[in-house]
Amino acid sequence: MSEFLVNLLGERLVNSEQADVDVQALGSKLSLVGLYFGCGLNGPCKQFNGSLCEFYSKFKKSSEHKDKLEIVFVSSDQDQKHWQDFLHEMQWPALPFKDRHKKMKLWNKYKVTSIPSLVFVDATTGKVVCRNGLLVVRDDPKGLEFPWGPKPFGEVVAGPLLRNNRQTTDISSLEDHYVGVYFSAHWCPPCRSLTRVLVESYGTVKESGQKFEIVFVSADRSEDSFKQYFSEMPWLAVPYSDEARRSRLNRLFGIQGIPTLILLDAEGHMITRQGRVEVLNDPECRLFPWHPRPVLELSESNAVQLHEGPCLVLFVDAEEEGELEPAKELIQPIAEKIMAKYKSKDEETPLLFFVAGEDDMSDSLRDYTNLPEAAPLLTILDMSARAKYVKDVEEITPAVVETFVQDFLAETLKPEPI
């Protein structure tokens, strides 16, 4: 276990007095690490930090599992004084301020998109146990549900489900169905836009004869808003009054923002977290149930994924529909190999793959990242680290792509700033 933690966190952490903490000595009984991503100048982080301190103190004093959990602070502070002041408020160790490379690796590995964020990971493997620790702190203040591991979807969603005609049903309505779990709210404009499209997609899939159901999990601010919004939806919903079940579903899927559409297969296993992107990119639902594709064509609707971790983007000289196919075929074998490798380890792929032609979206991305105008141009963009890796060669072959990817994963490439 200690060897793994050293690889994940480094050999030394620091405590609130900035004294060294030996990662090897964190404790042989440790089974869970909470990675706390935050910033001392962020208001929500300051507020959550108080709740986490109270939770941590109670857990360490009274839980029978007190030796099995440690929190590690992963700061995004840019100023050392602010970092140091915030660290003084904490009872747990932190990554050293100067270890920016390790911090960005953790941000990318665990797909952190907002702060504060608390991700519980297995101390021996690094696999995510619970992605939304903020809800653990709120919903289980005494730590009675430790280690907060994922439960089957059917168990978490169990209970009455509403139809918008005010009748109720139960989870038997979901048996043998593909299921979309839709986290949304009426106050959120992107949610309302997606809902309009999703209603059409839902009807299209149902008319095709496929077994498909959606469960709405509301983030509305009142029951009246929930009722108004749900009246526009032809599917099912968790009752607004059942806040505990809504929270458990948010925790199960690690929801960090809305709208989010999770797609599950008939056994309740996740197909994709990117249901929103898939619905917007496939209005005729030809690709339903939207299994992840190894290579995507960059578009306005899926560009949000560029901010979810490192992405390989192959820019080519293509303007017409279909002209991107050769580029996709070029990088697809390595993309499939990477996906299969990490899926076999039950881990998320560390790299997404895109092809981009000549259009406004590609031009904006080139301008933002200050890329040369060359085509073809092979790049890896890491937006959260504000880093880019560029392979500007006359001919891009599968061997060139594979070497570029393997060198990136081995951390032997030198980044340029974005």
Side-chain angles (χ1 to χ4, degrees):
M1 176 194 70
S2 297
E3 183 181 346
F4 170 77
L5 281 182
V6 168
N7 183 56
L8 185 72
L9 303 173
E11 294 183 354
R12 295 282 186 271
L13 301 174
V14 294
N15 62 19
S16 59
E17 302 302 321
Q18 295 195 60
D20 281 354
V21 175
D22 186 352
V23 172
Q24 290 271 10
L26 275 179
S28 59
K29 297 180 180 179
L30 200 64
S31 63
L32 201 67
V33 174
L35 298 173
Y36 169 29
F37 298 86
C39 173
L41 291 180
N42 180 278
C45 289
K46 297 281 283 186
Q47 183 176 0
F48 174 70
N49 197 67
S51 301
L52 184 57
C53 283
E54 184 177 349
F55 171 88
Y56 182 87
S57 180
K58 288 180 180 178
F59 190 91
K60 288 297 186 179
K61 286 179 181 177
S62 59
S63 174
E64 62 181 298
H65 306 294
K66 60 185 178 182
D67 295 328
K68 297 182 179 180
L69 172 69
E70 190 52 271
I71 305 293
V72 175
F73 178 49
V74 184
S75 171
S76 53
D77 284 291
Q78 300 299 308
D79 180 87
Q80 187 163 358
K81 178 68 164 57
H82 293 141
W83 169 79
Q84 189 173 325
D85 290 345
F86 199 30
L87 191 61
H88 275 304
E89 302 175 19
M90 301 176 186
Q91 306 162 48
W92 47 82
L95 260 68
F97 176 77
K98 294 182 179 179
D99 201 347
R100 297 181 185 274
H101 178 68
K102 185 71 70 175
K103 293 174 187 178
M104 291 316 309
K105 281 187 66 176
L106 291 170
W107 270 76
N108 287 332
K109 181 178 178 65
Y110 295 109
K111 310 292 186 185
V112 177
T113 58
S114 62
I115 55 172
S117 183
L118 178 61
V119 181
F120 289 112
V121 303
D122 187 294
T124 59
T125 66
K127 289 184 179 179
V128 174
V129 173
C130 176
R131 192 175 293 280
N132 200 331
L134 276 68
L135 292 179
V136 168
V137 172
R138 188 191 76 180
D139 297 345
D140 186 24
K142 296 181 179 180
L144 299 178
E145 298 177 33
F146 179 90
W148 310 295
K151 298 177 180 178
F153 169 70
E155 180 181 333
V156 178
V157 79
L161 295 170
L162 299 179
R163 299 188 186 277
N164 63 10
N165 61 5
R166 298 187 180 181
Q167 293 181 341
T168 61
T169 183
D170 57 31
I171 61 169
S172 63
S173 301
L174 307 180
E175 289 180 3
D176 301 320
H177 282 61
Y178 292 106
V179 176
V181 190
Y182 184 35
F183 298 85
S184 185
H186 187 262
W187 54 261
C188 162
C191 294
R192 296 198 302 274
S193 297
L194 178 60
T195 296
R196 288 191 288 271
V197 178
L198 189 55
V199 168
E200 296 294 326
S201 298
Y202 177 80
T204 299
V205 174
K206 299 280 273 189
E207 288 169 8
S208 74
Q210 304 217 53
K211 292 185 175 181
F212 180 44
E213 193 51 84
I214 294 176
V215 177
F216 170 44
V217 183
S218 173
D220 287 294
R221 293 167 177 160
S222 71
E223 180 133 17
D224 286 344
S225 293
F226 162 76
K227 288 178 179 177
Q228 178 185 347
Y229 195 30
F230 185 45
S231 69
E232 304 169 12
M233 303 176 183
W235 44 74
L236 306 175
V238 175
Y240 185 80
S241 59
D242 197 342
E243 185 176 353
R245 189 163 30 141
R246 290 191 288 122
S247 183
R248 287 195 298 271
L249 286 163
N250 273 270
R251 193 200 307 177
L252 175 65
F253 295 114
I255 302 304
Q256 296 186 21
I258 55 173
T260 295
L261 178 64
I262 306 288
L263 271 299
L264 307 175
D265 65 18
E267 285 74 46
H269 302 136
M270 188 182 297
I271 295 173
T272 180
R273 302 179 61 85
Q274 300 294 337
R276 174 190 184 186
V277 170
E278 297 295 346
V279 166
L280 294 175
N281 273 352
D282 184 27
E284 297 180 357
C285 305
R286 292 176 179 173
L287 300 175
F288 179 85
W290 299 304
H291 288 281
R293 283 162 287 160
V295 184
L296 298 174
E297 295 183 17
L298 186 65
S299 67
E300 288 190 16
S301 59
N302 63 29
V304 64
Q305 292 178 260
L306 294 173
H307 296 273
E308 295 179 0
C311 298
L312 181 144
V313 184
L314 173 57
F315 293 89
V316 295
D317 183 10
E319 297 181 7
E320 301 297 328
E321 186 175 347
E323 289 186 346
L324 288 173
E325 285 305 313
K328 290 170 70 175
E329 291 171 5
L330 176 69
I331 63 176
Q332 183 137 333
I334 180 61
E336 290 176 341
K337 185 189 296 186
I338 295 294
M339 285 182 68
K341 176 182 177 180
Y342 285 87
K343 185 176 181 179
S344 69
K345 299 192 292 184
D346 196 26
E347 295 179 10
E348 293 189 54
T349 178
L351 192 62
L352 299 179
F353 293 80
F354 292 85
V355 293
E358 292 189 347
D359 54 29
D360 291 342
M361 181 70 239
S362 297
D363 290 345
S364 296
L365 181 58
R366 283 182 186 265
D367 290 343
Y368 178 75
T369 55
N370 196 27
L371 290 171
E373 292 296 323
L377 183 68
L378 185 62
T379 67
I380 291 176
L381 305 177
D382 187 347
M383 297 299 202
S384 58
R386 298 193 62 80
K388 63 186 177 186
Y389 307 82
V390 181
K391 191 76 170 179
D392 186 2
V393 295
E394 288 188 9
E395 183 180 5
I396 295 176
T397 65
V400 168
V401 176
E402 176 141 16
T403 300
F404 188 53
V405 168
Q406 296 301 340
D407 287 348
F408 171 77
L409 296 176
E411 299 183 33
T412 60
L413 297 180
K414 185 177 179 180
E416 302 174 43
I418 291 180

